[in-house]
Amino acid sequence: MPALPLPFPERGLYLVTPDADDSAALLARVAPVLPWARCLQYRNKRADDTRRLLEARALRAMCADAGVCFIVNDDAHLARTVDADGVHLGQADGTVAAARALLGDERTIGVSCHDQWPLARDAVRAGADYVAFGAMFASSTKPDAPRATPPLFARAQALGVPKVAIGGISPDNVDQAVAADADLVAVIAGVFDAPDPVAAARACAAAFD
């Protein structure tokens, strides 16, 4: 019988896995920083379906042991297969309604809304549990992404769901994202490419203290 899902956190560090060619290396990079995360999203654009399934299962188990919410990027079917706590949808990844029908009412569904208030409003009306805005800062992962400004986060407060900032966030600027009213900060390179990933994860988490 599937375990009850962990709820999506209200505040904190939302780690997103880096693209990787080696599964063992990916898991080894995640393990030491996971204790500082409130949520982990599995995202690996380099992996084929077989490897994505193996990696998602392994990361799901790590998150369950650590008490960290586990989200799968883009793929509601994979999220269901590995019993993830939820799925994160881009604008081309299907509807909230379709993901809800597949995953049920207890799983978390998040939606990327870029820099657009109407997308966030419509996502929440459709049943999204959180919305993500970005890029907050210049992003090495998506260098052409539009920029989400602090007034957007303030306006989205009325939606009543957690607001995630993503894009170029690091220990050097995480305080700015929190000050802009982001409830969580989604970080990839700012942690995983840092000289000391554990120190970077700790610093990002501490911004919410």
Side-chain angles (χ1 to χ4, degrees):
M1 183 175 180
L4 290 175
L6 289 174
F8 189 74
E10 295 182 357
R11 285 171 65 79
L13 173 59
Y14 182 149
L15 281 176
V16 181
T17 59
D19 289 336
D21 295 317
D22 182 274
S23 297
L26 174 64
L27 300 180
R29 294 179 73 185
V30 170
V33 297
L34 191 59
W36 305 102
R38 299 294 308 281
C39 183
L40 178 78
Q41 181 188 127
Y42 171 60
R43 177 187 184 277
N44 190 355
K45 299 298 185 179
R46 296 180 187 171
D48 60 21
D49 289 346
T50 299
R51 190 152 63 87
R52 290 179 74 241
L53 177 59
L54 293 173
E55 290 174 352
R57 279 181 170 157
L59 289 168
R60 201 277 174 270
M62 289 170 60
C63 285
D65 289 343
V68 173
C69 181
F70 180 63
I71 302 290
V72 169
N73 177 261
D74 290 353
D75 191 337
H77 290 277
L78 178 60
R80 182 181 181 182
T81 298
V82 302
D83 195 27
D85 297 308
V87 67
H88 182 87
L89 302 176
Q91 291 299 315
D93 298 327
T95 66
V96 173
R100 183 66 69 200
L102 186 65
L103 298 177
D105 292 336
E106 295 182 332
R107 308 285 161 173
T108 293
I109 298 174
V111 177
S112 291
C113 300
H114 308 299
D115 62 338
Q116 300 179 42
W117 161 257
L119 293 179
R121 177 198 61 205
D122 293 347
V124 174
R125 287 177 177 174
D129 299 295
Y130 73 87
V131 293
F133 295 116
M136 188 76 186
F137 306 101
S139 169
S140 60
T141 303
K142 295 185 177 181
D144 298 324
R147 297 290 286 272
T149 60
L152 181 59
F153 289 88
R155 185 179 187 186
Q157 185 70 28
L159 295 173
V161 299
K163 308 172 299 299
V164 179
I166 190 168
I169 298 172
S170 72
D172 293 333
N173 58 30
V174 64
D175 288 338
Q176 296 177 51
V178 175
D181 207 23
D183 298 304
L184 296 100
V185 291
V187 184
I188 308 174
V191 165
F192 288 105
D193 292 345
D196 185 339
V198 171
R202 185 188 299 116
C204 289
F208 293 91
D209 292 343

